[in-house]
Structure formats: C-alpha cells, structure tokens
Amino acid sequence: MNISGIFPPVATPFDEREEIDLAAFTANVTRYMETRLAGVVVLGSNGEAPLLTEEEGVRLVAAARAVVPRGRVLVAGAGEESTRATIAGARRLAAAGADAVLVRTPGYFKTQLTQEVFIRHFTAVADASPVPVIIYNAAPFTGVNLLPPAVARLSEHPNIVGIKETSPDIAQVTEFVSVVRPPFQVVVGSLPTLYASLCVGAVGGIVAGANVVPGLCVELYELVRQKRFAEALALQRRLTPLARSVTSLYGPGGLKAAMDLAGYRGGKPRAPLPPASPQAVDVIRNQLAELA
Amino acid sequence: MNISGIFPPVATPFDEREEIDLAAFTANVTRYMETRLAGVVVLGSNGEAPLLTEEEGVRLVAAARAVVPRGRVLVAGAGEESTRATIAGARRLAAAGADAVLVRTPGYFKTQLTQEVFIRHFTAVADASPVPVIIYNAAPFTGVNLLPPAVARLSEHPNIVGIKETSPDIAQVTEFVSVVRPPFQVVVGSLPTLYASLCVGAVGGIVAGANVVPGLCVELYELVRQKRFAEALALQRRLTPLARSVTSLYGPGGLKAAMDLAGYRGGKPRAPLPPASPQAVDVIRNQLAELA
Amino acid sequence: MNISGIFPPVATPFDEREEIDLAAFTANVTRYMETRLAGVVVLGSNGEAPLLTEEEGVRLVAAARAVVPRGRVLVAGAGEESTRATIAGARRLAAAGADAVLVRTPGYFKTQLTQEVFIRHFTAVADASPVPVIIYNAAPFTGVNLLPPAVARLSEHPNIVGIKETSPDIAQVTEFVSVVRPPFQVVVGSLPTLYASLCVGAVGGIVAGANVVPGLCVELYELVRQKRFAEALALQRRLTPLARSVTSLYGPGGLKAAMDLAGYRGGKPRAPLPPASPQAVDVIRNQLAELA
Amino acid sequence: MNISGIFPPVATPFDEREEIDLAAFTANVTRYMETRLAGVVVLGSNGEAPLLTEEEGVRLVAAARAVVPRGRVLVAGAGEESTRATIAGARRLAAAGADAVLVRTPGYFKTQLTQEVFIRHFTAVADASPVPVIIYNAAPFTGVNLLPPAVARLSEHPNIVGIKETSPDIAQVTEFVSVVRPPFQVVVGSLPTLYASLCVGAVGGIVAGANVVPGLCVELYELVRQKRFAEALALQRRLTPLARSVTSLYGPGGLKAAMDLAGYRGGKPRAPLPPASPQAVDVIRNQLAELA
C-alpha cells in the first residue's frame, strides 16, 4: 500500500437543507482524478467527518469508489473514541470500497489516553481491519499527542502502513521518519509544512489545499522528487497564505469558499460551522489570484 | 424544570464482551432512586457517552425511565458536533423518556467555534428540542470555553433551563450565577468544587462521586441548604480525595472500580479506556474506608 | 505572622521619564493605611516588579516602611529564578523594612521545575530568610503549578507562613486549606475568586482591586467574617467586572487608569506595557460609577 | 552582521559555591574557537541567564571577548521585561564586548503583550542599541509568540539583523523566511529542527548541542551548504536523541553533564535547577557513544 504523493481530504458538499450533495461530491472527485493526485481521503476533518452520520459516511465512500480508479488510493476516515466502534467503522468503510482507513487517535478522556493505551488501541484496530490502517495524529484537534516511541512500536504491525501527522512540529516528523520500521510511511496533514516535511523524509501530504489547487500541490511534491529544491521552496512560499486560509484561519467554511472560487463545488459547511465571511472570501479571492 | 440538588452522571456497565449490561445499569439506578438524589444523568462523559452508539443511548435512557419516577429528573446527554445531529439526539432521547437534555458544546473545530457560533447552535437546538436544554460547558474535555456574556444571552431562551460547568474556575461560576436571567440555574460538574460553587449560588451538582457515595454527596448539598457551613466544608474536604480518583486521576476505570468497592455494579470501561490498575484500586479502597 | 485580611499589591507610579515617583507611591500607601487594609504588598506582579531593578525595589520597600505602621504587615515580593538570588532579595528587602517576603515559584525552565525542585527551593529560601516567607503560586504568569502535596510539605516549615494562590481553581484552594498544617494560611490573588475562597477557608486576599476600591474589598472580607453571606456575595458580584478590568483584561495599564479615576495616583505603566486605551478607560469609568 | 552558521549558547560553569568559574568558561570558549563555529552566544537560556546577575553577565561577556577573535561573532543575551532595562543591558553588554545582542520577547504579562506592543518594544531597543539586535522568539519558555507579520515589520529596521526561533513549528520558520526583508536572517534555536530549517531557508542555528559536539553540528550545517542532503539528514537523525537530552528532557543539568562527558567543563547548574540524575547521565553517555 503506497500512500506517497498528494491526497486531498475531500470536502463534503451539502445542499440547502444541509443534506449531502452527492452529485457535487462526485463532480469534485472526478475532476481530482484528472490530475496527478495519488488518491483521495474521504471522511477526514476537512470533510467535516465529525458532523456526519455513519450512513452518510458509507454513501460518500461508495460514491468516491465509483470514480476513483483502482490505480489510485481511496482512504476513508474511521476514527472513533472506542476501539470497537473504530473496528466496526473500518469494516463498514472497507466494504463500501475504501482501500485503507485513516484512524484518528481518541481524544476525549485525555488523562487516560497514555501511549500504552494508544498502542493497544491501534494494534486491536489493525488486527481486525480488513484494509490497511494509517494512523492519524491530530493534536491540534484532539489535544493528545502520539509520541515517536509509540509510533516506532506500531510501525512493526503488518497492517499499519503509515502515519499522518498534523502538527507543524518538524522535530517530531523527523523523528517519526527516523524511528519507524520500513516500509512504514510518514505523511503530513498540513500544507504549510509540506516542503520541509518532504525534505526530512515524509513521502507525501493529505492537505486541505489540494481540494482547491491540486495541480500546484502535486507540482510542489514533484519538484522535491526531482530535487529542484529552490523551485519547490518558492512554490511552498506562494502556497502558504492560501493554505492558512483554508484550514486554521477560516476552517471548513473557508475551504469551501475557496473551492467555489476555484471552480469546484464547495458551498456551506454544516451548522454550527460558520460559512466564510465576505471579508474572508475577499482575502481568499486575492490569494487565489496571486497563485494564478 | 428544577435541576437543583445532586445528580450522578451514571456509569454504563458492560459485560465481558463489552456489551451494555442493562441489568447492572438498572440495578444501580434503582438503588440511586432510594436515596435523595434529585435524579440521574444518563449519557454523560462519565457514562462513556463518546464510546456508545445512538441505539445504545436510546436503550439506556429507556431503561432508566423505567425506574426513575416522574418526581425525579431524568437527564440525557445529547451533545454532538453538528446542530442537526444534536437536535436529532434531543428528539430521540426525549422520545425514549428523557425529561431534559444535556448538550455539550461542540469542540472539534476549535478555531471556528466562536461565542457567536455557540449562541446560534444552542438557540437552534433549544428551539427544536421537545424537552428543556441544559448547556454543558466542558473545557477540560473539549478545549473550548463558553463565556459569561454568551451564557447570559442563552439564559433568556425559554427552553434553556441551566448550565453545567465542569471547569474548576470559580470566578466563572460566580459570574454565570451573576449574569444569567432567573430562573436559569447553574450547576457544577465536579465534586471537588461543589461546596464552593453552592456558596456562590450554584444550585446543585452533576458529580461522578454521586455514583459511589450518593448519600454523602446529598448530605453535603443539604448541609449547605441548612446553612451548616462548617460541617459542609468539613465533608467537602473528606470527599475530595475520592472525587479526584474517580475523575481526573483514574477516569471511568477508576469510577467503575470505586462503584464495585462501594457495592454498586461497575466493571470495566470500554476499550481503549483502561481499567483501574491494582495500585489505583488500593488507593480508592483506602479513600472509601476513610469515608465509612 | 498574621496575613489574614485584604492587601493591595500596590502599583508603582512612574513619572514622565518612567522613573519611580516616590511621592505618588507614598501618597497612595498613606491613604491605604487610613483604611482597614491589613497591610500592603510591594513588588508584586501588579507593582510591575518584573520591570523594576533591585535598587528600585529597595527604595520602594523603604518608602512603604516609612508610612506602614508596625501594626500592619508590609510584604515585599522577592521571587527570582535562582535560589541564591531569591535569598539575597529576601535579605535585602527585609533590611529595607519588609515584615515578610512573597516568593514566586521560578518558571523559566518549565520542564525541570518538578514538585521536588520547588520543595528544595522554598525550603532553602525559608531557611535563609530573616523574615517569614509567603509562597506565591502564579500559574497564569509562570506556566508552572505548585500542587497540594508539595504545599502540605512546605507548610511544616516554621518560616513559611502561607501561600498566595492566583489561579481561579477553587478545588486547588480548597485542597490547600485542607492539607496544610496550621497555622499555615492560604490567601488568594484574584478578586473575582475572593468570596468563594473565603468560604472554603482562605483567610484573605492580595487583590489588585484593593488599589482602587480598598474600602469595598475590606467590606467584602468583613461581611464574610460576620457571616453575612448574602450581602457578601452580592458585593462580590458588583466588584467582579472592575476586578477583571484591572487584571486579566487591561493589565497594569488598566489598574493605573482605574486608580487615577478613583482619586489615587496611577499614571502609565513602564514600557512595553501599554497604557489603558481610551475605550478601556471608558469601561472602567462606568464600572466605578456602578460601584459608587 | 552575518549570523549564519552554528553558534553554541554557551553554558555557564559554576564552582562548588555556585560562583561563576571563569577559568572553566574561558577554557570551553577557547576550545570552541578552535572549531568552525561561527561564534558564541553568551547569556542565552542554556547559559542559565535568568539565574545570573547583571554584573555576572558583564564578566562573562568580557571573558568571552578576550578569546573570541574579531572574525567570529560574540552575541550576548539581553532580554528583560522592560524596554528600558533591555536597552540598558544592550549598552552594558556592547560595552563589555558583544558584537550583537539577542533580545528575548518579554513574557510575564501575557495578556498585555500584543503584536503591536512587541513591535514598539523591539523598535525602541533597536533604536537605542549600539550593536545590532537579534530577536529571540522563545514561546516554549515565555508562553507568548511573535507572529510573521510583526517579524516582517521589524525586519525593516536597519539595526535588527535577524531572529532566533525556538519553537519547532516549521510552518512559522518557513513563513519568517518568506516574509522578511533581506538581508534579515532567520536562525533556529533547536538542534532537532536544524536540518529542516536550513532546508526552508534558515541560515544557521544557536543550538545547545553545539556545546557538546560542535564539530558534528558544524558538519550538519556544511553538508547542507554543499547540498549533500542525504548525508545531512542522516546526521540530523543521529544527533536528535542527544539534542533532546540536553534541552527539553534534562535541561541545563543535562547539558552540563553531556559537556563533562565530552571533555568540556560543565559541572552543575545553579539551584534550584537540578543536576542530571545518574540515570540521565547513563542515557547521555550512551548517546555520545553512538555519535563517536
């Protein structure tokens, strides 16, 4: 299971009644498949997964499967607070067509979630999952952090193929790459850290900006592969302002506004997540113009 | 809707296969109803709600309803990340027998969850809920905080009857009591802060320790009502060590171990939450002995 | 050494060149001594101690000593990052007239400052200090927290007479009172938590608001002593908005603006601390009018 | 003023009475000058600057000046909480021989320290300093963060030549490099992030590990300059474990123990900072053996 390259954590478009707009979703994914993206991640944070039902998740994965060819990788987010619900999700989403599942660390009972607990959790999930597992370490969302020694241990499991790290702590990314057992793969979850992470040995990125400017994200990846470092760094610098807007700054509302401006189908996030304000839309429009 | 007094956020017992043990649950709640507890909260954090399915939630509420008489208050936890799922939960749990719903603030997309967003969310939920809403502010779990001005605004809604505050910040509890519109009620979610909170105008507590020593928790509440402050404070001091063990220190595993030791039916939490270690069980046993 | 009652952490007025204005300082302290304040704290956070030199500290303590009668308590802030500098400060300030020293926990090397390290530090300081030591736990400023077991140990030292707790965590204040060895005294460092803290056994407060409305702060304290709890709580609620303005919200600049409005001599803080904005001054003016 | 390359933030050796051991200090610096280190930083965090007096600072800078030739850069730490004290320190240390001063952001009154306040502070310091200023952003110690827009503004000041960033947030380092006005230089303050930071355009590092293995730190820097990236990354991975030990993990005590093991003169830190435990010394010894 090769997860190198660039994946968009695809947004989930809704209609006016906040129901999933499968046609819009399929249209976006279809267009993404016309680029050199390595695949897509459905049911990620940027897909508003915490605001979706189980049944909606299955529909989205099945719809993606219909347009993601077998040569690309269809990853589905499957993290839940309990081990058993995570396993059930992995089975359900694999049955719906996922090639791999992305499993977020639990995060609610922070004082109880020790490194040992994480190791047991991911091991049990990986033992039971019919498809490979990618660990998702998302401290900015969950408030808990999976440390290098635990990741080293988990990298020995034959059904755990990699980790997505969302924090911008490059020392941690560097250590992950250093301590894991090949062919375990490290990818990052944040476009502003993509270039640096590729330099230290990460093999790709699951980055929100790839919903908006997939071609440029792939270009950054390929420039590094071709060792054209100065060009890659210059492109990284150009991409960072937009990358901030569609994640930390304006959230899913900002991401969807950017998609609308870039010719994809975004729309509004599900309540209570706010849509981008008119001021935010102006900022994003200018950032896109700079990239054109 | 009077939510004054003491409520246990009831634990959810499981059998050996991690399935809900409804008989054990019903036995516990039945015994609680033989005390002067004001009611129970089902599907709270201490009930491991984030690790339960929707269907399990309905079964637990219905089972509680069967043994909670109409003169006591049956509260059900209903917070989800989306407004629509929260509303659906409120309807589902009200239909199952809940007298009120306890609605946690969303917390996943922290940068997007402004005070204005929270006001819109709780207003929409309260507009649609068939039963009264109690806000649940749980910064130690969620990483976001609802501030006094927003609570003041929300206290004007006729279907929002109160707030449960979990943080130990007594300045915030004092301000909540001060700025809300009567008859809006403030209750606390932490036994170590119960006495002080009652002193500043909170009317009760939803406290994990009431699963273990309900009589002592009620006694503390009643001593304050009778203005026997010195005795109340002395009791608070005696209760605090156990209270720490069954929440922040040992989590749901510690709570359930304490219940087993106190003659209730606890068992083990659902994975990945760890059971109490033998050392933790010893600590808790000694704390219970001190209280006997 | 009795530290019960209310102390202002006195502000440090500066002239236009940012030099200490001893006349203004002396005028303020003289007026404070006409009230029933228990004494004053010189060189506290609100006195901008981190922005003063050693020599300025000595001058301020000596000036205060000249107008603080022996029946009141003159406390001087003496916390430094090293044990030896803290001891030197305690000796220097005792020689200048301080009755006791308030010693902040070190906080710079956060990962190295374990509870054991704090115990050694305060023990060494207390062994060497010619005057009694009051521990100052100031997590909002320092980012480190002294826990109840360490405070219990330190309370056995004959030259450590109490602790000032600045965090609003009432569970911690309650535990401090519960675990320390009498006659060790717990006081709080935040006016919004004063009433609740007195209810759980704290014996007083070192609160910025006492620089502005000393009479009302003393009245709150005395109402609790007289068990007139409803009146005390009502007064607490009235005081809280101003209390927020002169600390967390507008900092030393806000405190000094409030002093000017209340007839004391405040002025501007030392750079880079900003003076209160015109909007902040308006807010404070209205809060003072509400209290008149 | 060129600050590219590797600088050790030199440790401050003490004798048995915790007095500065100038002979040991001079011996260390003399040996460092026999390597290709770009210079030294005296009075940094790793030099225990917060535990030193003004007079000690002057002696250390003067002693360093005596052995640091003019072709290398002697930087002195000069950050204080007040603008005026920082300016006084810059003048004092320049007079003692410093080529540049490293000025930490103030951090005590966190709520008052806005980006605008930081801009005013550093501008005033740079206007008055007789030698160039290097900004020191040290969020892990100070709890406050200087953001890219403020750094962009400050980079236009002719007497501010660069910034040392201590956080491992590579997105922020990348943005600093991207937004500043040349010839403003970005250096990092953490060895585990050195390779990645050099890749994104940082020009050097002020790293604790350079006190212990200066040759290897310089080699890492030079490998990147020679575009021998794979070798540089491999060396980074080898250096990281030791780098963790001498900073976040074991603090100044760990750094000094490592220096002793590596043949430099370390000794013990000033109280209350703890010396490395025997277990820590064993860990460090093994890490050094791996690097030999």
Side-chain angles (χ1 to χ4, degrees):
Chain A
M1 171 70 55
N2 182 351
I3 56 169
S4 65
I6 304 297
F7 292 73
V10 290
T12 304
F14 300 111
D15 67 18
E16 310 242 311
R17 292 167 307 126
E18 292 198 359
E19 298 294 336
I20 287 179
D21 183 342
L22 267 192
F25 175 82
T26 300
N28 290 338
V29 177
T30 301
R31 285 190 54 198
Y32 294 146
M33 289 302 95
E34 294 162 5
T35 70
R36 293 190 306 284
L37 288 166
V40 294
V41 174
V42 181
L43 305 178
S45 297
N46 286 290
E48 299 174 55
L51 294 87
L52 301 176
T53 67
E54 279 180 22
E55 184 269 341
E56 289 174 330
V58 168
R59 286 170 57 211
L60 288 165
V61 170
R65 183 73 280 168
V67 292
V68 175
R70 284 291 162 185
R72 312 277 182 113
V73 183
L74 170 53
V75 180
E80 302 285 342
E81 288 294 319
S82 80
T83 304
R84 57 156 41 199
T86 305
I87 291 171
R91 289 175 173 156
R92 190 170 60 237
L93 298 171
D99 295 316
V101 285
L102 181 64
V103 176
R104 177 178 60 73
T105 62
Y108 196 79
F109 292 95
K110 301 185 202 310
T111 63
Q112 303 305 303
L113 295 167
T114 61
Q115 301 297 307
E116 208 47 53
V117 164
F118 286 135
I119 289 172
R120 279 206 301 274
H121 176 69
F122 284 108
T123 300
V125 170
D127 285 346
S129 172
V131 292
V133 169
I134 305 163
I135 299 167
Y136 179 14
N137 193 31
F141 293 115
T142 60
V144 296
N145 189 26
L146 196 64
L147 295 171
V151 176
R153 282 266 297 281
L154 290 168
S155 73
E156 298 177 4
H157 194 292
N159 204 30
I160 303 183
V161 296
I163 185 168
K164 173 190 175 192
E165 170 61 59
T166 285
S167 144
D169 181 341
I170 197 70
Q172 181 153 300
V173 173
T174 308
E175 276 201 81
F176 283 165
V177 173
S178 182
V179 300
V180 297
R181 180 189 187 127
F184 189 90
Q185 299 158 86
V186 178
V187 301
V188 292
S190 162
L191 182 48
T193 67
L194 181 59
Y195 172 71
S197 301
L198 294 172
C199 288
V200 298
V203 298
I206 299 172
V207 296
N211 279 292
V212 184
V213 285
L216 291 176
C217 294
V218 170
E219 185 181 337
L220 172 48
Y221 170 76
E222 293 181 346
L223 285 168
V224 176
R225 297 265 295 179
Q226 296 160 18
K227 301 194 189 302
R228 294 160 65 187
F229 297 116
E231 289 163 85
L233 178 54
L235 180 52
Q236 171 71 71
R237 291 181 188 174
R238 289 178 60 216
L239 284 169
T240 294
L242 177 69
R244 296 273 196 208
S245 290
V246 301
T247 52
S248 53
L249 205 46
Y250 305 126
L255 173 60
K256 287 178 156 179
M259 290 173 67
D260 283 331
L261 290 166
Y264 296 93
R265 298 180 64 175
K268 293 180 181 173
R270 210 166 239 184
L273 293 180
S277 67
Q279 293 81 351
V281 173
D282 281 347
V283 168
I284 294 167
R285 183 180 293 112
N286 289 336
Q287 290 169 335
L288 281 168
E290 295 275 329
L291 285 171
Chain B
M1 170 70 56
N2 181 352
I3 57 169
S4 65
I6 303 298
F7 292 73
V10 290
T12 302
F14 299 112
D15 66 18
E16 309 240 313
R17 290 166 308 126
E18 292 199 0
E19 298 295 335
I20 287 180
D21 183 341
L22 266 192
F25 175 82
T26 301
N28 289 339
V29 177
T30 300
R31 286 190 53 197
Y32 294 146
M33 289 302 96
E34 294 162 5
T35 70
R36 293 191 306 283
L37 288 167
V40 294
V41 174
V42 180
L43 305 178
S45 298
N46 287 289
E48 299 172 57
L51 293 86
L52 302 176
T53 67
E54 278 181 24
E55 184 268 341
E56 290 173 328
V58 168
R59 287 170 57 209
L60 288 165
V61 171
R65 183 75 278 167
V67 292
V68 174
R70 283 290 161 187
R72 312 278 181 112
V73 182
L74 171 53
V75 180
E80 302 285 344
E81 288 295 318
S82 80
T83 304
R84 59 156 41 200
T86 306
I87 291 172
R91 288 175 174 155
R92 190 170 61 238
L93 298 171
D99 295 316
V101 285
L102 181 65
V103 176
R104 178 178 60 73
T105 61
Y108 195 79
F109 292 96
K110 300 184 203 310
T111 64
Q112 303 304 303
L113 295 168
T114 61
Q115 301 297 306
E116 208 48 52
V117 165
F118 285 136
I119 289 173
R120 280 205 303 273
H121 176 70
F122 284 107
T123 300
V125 171
D127 285 348
S129 173
V131 292
V133 169
I134 304 164
I135 299 166
Y136 180 14
N137 193 31
F141 293 114
T142 60
V144 297
N145 189 26
L146 196 64
L147 295 171
V151 176
R153 281 265 298 281
L154 290 167
S155 73
E156 297 177 4
H157 195 292
N159 203 31
I160 304 181
V161 297
I163 186 169
K164 173 189 175 191
E165 170 61 59
T166 285
S167 143
D169 181 341
I170 196 71
Q172 181 153 300
V173 173
T174 308
E175 277 202 81
F176 283 165
V177 174
S178 182
V179 300
V180 297
R181 178 189 188 129
F184 189 91
Q185 300 158 86
V186 177
V187 301
V188 291
S190 163
L191 182 49
T193 68
L194 181 58
Y195 173 70
S197 301
L198 294 171
C199 287
V200 300
V203 299
I206 300 172
V207 294
N211 279 295
V212 184
V213 285
L216 291 177
C217 294
V218 170
E219 185 181 335
L220 171 49
Y221 171 75
E222 294 182 347
L223 285 169
V224 176
R225 298 266 295 177
Q226 297 161 18
K227 301 193 188 305
R228 294 159 66 185
F229 297 115
E231 289 164 84
L233 179 54
L235 180 52
Q236 171 71 72
R237 290 181 188 173
R238 289 177 60 216
L239 284 168
T240 293
L242 176 68
R244 296 273 197 208
S245 290
V246 301
T247 53
S248 53
L249 205 46
Y250 305 125
L255 173 61
K256 287 178 156 179
M259 290 174 66
D260 283 330
L261 290 167
Y264 295 94
R265 297 180 64 175
K268 292 180 181 173
R270 211 167 239 183
L273 293 180
S277 68
Q279 293 81 350
V281 172
D282 282 346
V283 168
I284 294 168
R285 183 181 292 115
N286 289 336
Q287 290 170 333
L288 281 168
E290 295 275 327
L291 286 171
Chain C
M1 170 70 55
N2 182 353
I3 57 169
S4 65
I6 303 298
F7 292 73
V10 291
T12 304
F14 299 111
D15 66 18
E16 310 242 312
R17 292 166 306 126
E18 292 199 359
E19 298 295 336
I20 287 180
D21 183 342
L22 266 193
F25 175 81
T26 301
N28 289 338
V29 177
T30 301
R31 284 191 53 198
Y32 294 146
M33 289 302 97
E34 294 162 5
T35 70
R36 293 191 306 284
L37 289 166
V40 294
V41 174
V42 180
L43 305 179
S45 298
N46 286 289
E48 298 172 57
L51 293 87
L52 302 175
T53 67
E54 279 180 23
E55 183 269 341
E56 290 174 330
V58 168
R59 286 170 57 210
L60 288 165
V61 170
R65 183 74 278 168
V67 291
V68 174
R70 282 291 162 184
R72 311 277 182 113
V73 182
L74 171 53
V75 180
E80 302 285 343
E81 288 295 318
S82 81
T83 304
R84 57 156 44 198
T86 306
I87 290 171
R91 289 175 174 156
R92 189 171 61 237
L93 299 171
D99 294 316
V101 285
L102 181 64
V103 176
R104 177 177 61 72
T105 62
Y108 196 79
F109 292 95
K110 300 184 203 310
T111 64
Q112 303 305 304
L113 295 168
T114 61
Q115 301 297 306
E116 208 49 51
V117 165
F118 286 136
I119 289 172
R120 279 205 301 273
H121 176 70
F122 283 108
T123 300
V125 171
D127 286 347
S129 173
V131 292
V133 168
I134 304 165
I135 298 166
Y136 180 14
N137 193 31
F141 292 115
T142 60
V144 297
N145 189 27
L146 196 64
L147 294 172
V151 176
R153 282 266 298 281
L154 291 168
S155 72
E156 298 176 6
H157 194 291
N159 203 30
I160 304 182
V161 297
I163 186 169
K164 173 189 175 193
E165 169 61 59
T166 285
S167 144
D169 181 340
I170 196 70
Q172 181 153 301
V173 174
T174 308
E175 277 201 80
F176 283 164
V177 174
S178 182
V179 300
V180 297
R181 178 187 186 130
F184 188 90
Q185 300 158 85
V186 177
V187 301
V188 293
S190 162
L191 182 49
T193 68
L194 180 58
Y195 172 70
S197 300
L198 294 172
C199 287
V200 299
V203 299
I206 300 171
V207 295
N211 279 294
V212 185
V213 285
L216 291 176
C217 293
V218 170
E219 184 181 336
L220 172 48
Y221 171 75
E222 293 182 345
L223 285 169
V224 176
R225 298 265 295 179
Q226 298 159 17
K227 301 193 189 304
R228 293 159 67 185
F229 297 115
E231 289 163 86
L233 178 55
L235 179 53
Q236 171 72 71
R237 290 182 189 174
R238 290 177 60 215
L239 285 169
T240 294
L242 176 69
R244 295 274 198 207
S245 291
V246 301
T247 52
S248 53
L249 206 45
Y250 305 125
L255 174 60
K256 286 179 157 179
M259 290 173 66
D260 283 330
L261 290 167
Y264 296 94
R265 298 180 63 174
K268 292 180 182 173
R270 209 166 240 184
L273 293 180
S277 68
Q279 293 81 349
V281 173
D282 281 347
V283 168
I284 294 168
R285 184 181 290 113
N286 288 335
Q287 290 169 335
L288 281 168
E290 294 274 328
L291 285 172
Chain D
M1 171 70 56
N2 181 352
I3 56 170
S4 65
I6 304 297
F7 292 73
V10 290
T12 304
F14 300 111
D15 66 18
E16 309 242 313
R17 292 166 307 124
E18 291 198 0
E19 299 294 337
I20 287 180
D21 183 342
L22 267 193
F25 175 82
T26 300
N28 289 338
V29 177
T30 300
R31 286 191 52 198
Y32 295 146
M33 290 302 96
E34 294 162 5
T35 71
R36 293 191 305 284
L37 289 166
V40 295
V41 173
V42 180
L43 304 179
S45 298
N46 286 290
E48 300 172 57
L51 294 87
L52 302 176
T53 66
E54 279 180 22
E55 184 269 341
E56 289 173 329
V58 169
R59 286 169 57 210
L60 288 165
V61 171
R65 183 73 280 167
V67 291
V68 175
R70 283 290 160 186
R72 311 279 182 112
V73 182
L74 171 54
V75 180
E80 301 286 341
E81 288 294 320
S82 80
T83 304
R84 58 157 42 200
T86 306
I87 291 171
R91 289 175 174 156
R92 189 169 61 238
L93 299 171
D99 295 315
V101 284
L102 180 65
V103 177
R104 177 178 61 74
T105 62
Y108 195 79
F109 292 96
K110 301 184 201 312
T111 64
Q112 304 304 303
L113 295 168
T114 61
Q115 301 297 306
E116 208 48 52
V117 165
F118 286 134
I119 289 172
R120 279 205 303 273
H121 175 70
F122 283 107
T123 300
V125 171
D127 285 347
S129 172
V131 291
V133 168
I134 304 164
I135 299 167
Y136 179 14
N137 193 31
F141 293 116
T142 60
V144 298
N145 190 25
L146 196 65
L147 296 171
V151 176
R153 281 265 298 281
L154 290 167
S155 73
E156 298 176 5
H157 194 293
N159 203 30
I160 304 182
V161 297
I163 185 169
K164 173 189 175 193
E165 170 62 58
T166 285
S167 144
D169 182 341
I170 195 72
Q172 181 153 302
V173 173
T174 308
E175 276 201 81
F176 284 165
V177 173
S178 182
V179 300
V180 298
R181 179 189 187 128
F184 189 90
Q185 299 157 88
V186 178
V187 300
V188 293
S190 162
L191 181 50
T193 68
L194 180 59
Y195 172 70
S197 301
L198 294 172
C199 287
V200 299
V203 299
I206 299 171
V207 295
N211 278 294
V212 185
V213 284
L216 292 176
C217 294
V218 170
E219 183 181 337
L220 172 48
Y221 170 76
E222 294 182 346
L223 285 169
V224 176
R225 298 265 295 178
Q226 297 160 16
K227 300 194 191 302
R228 294 160 65 185
F229 297 116
E231 289 163 85
L233 178 55
L235 179 52
Q236 171 72 71
R237 291 182 189 174
R238 289 178 60 217
L239 284 169
T240 294
L242 177 68
R244 296 274 197 209
S245 290
V246 301
T247 52
S248 53
L249 205 45
Y250 305 125
L255 174 61
K256 287 179 156 178
M259 290 173 66
D260 283 330
L261 290 166
Y264 296 94
R265 297 180 63 176
K268 293 181 181 174
R270 210 167 239 185
L273 293 179
S277 68
Q279 293 81 352
V281 173
D282 281 347
V283 168
I284 294 167
R285 183 180 293 113
N286 289 335
Q287 291 169 335
L288 281 168
E290 294 276 328
L291 287 170

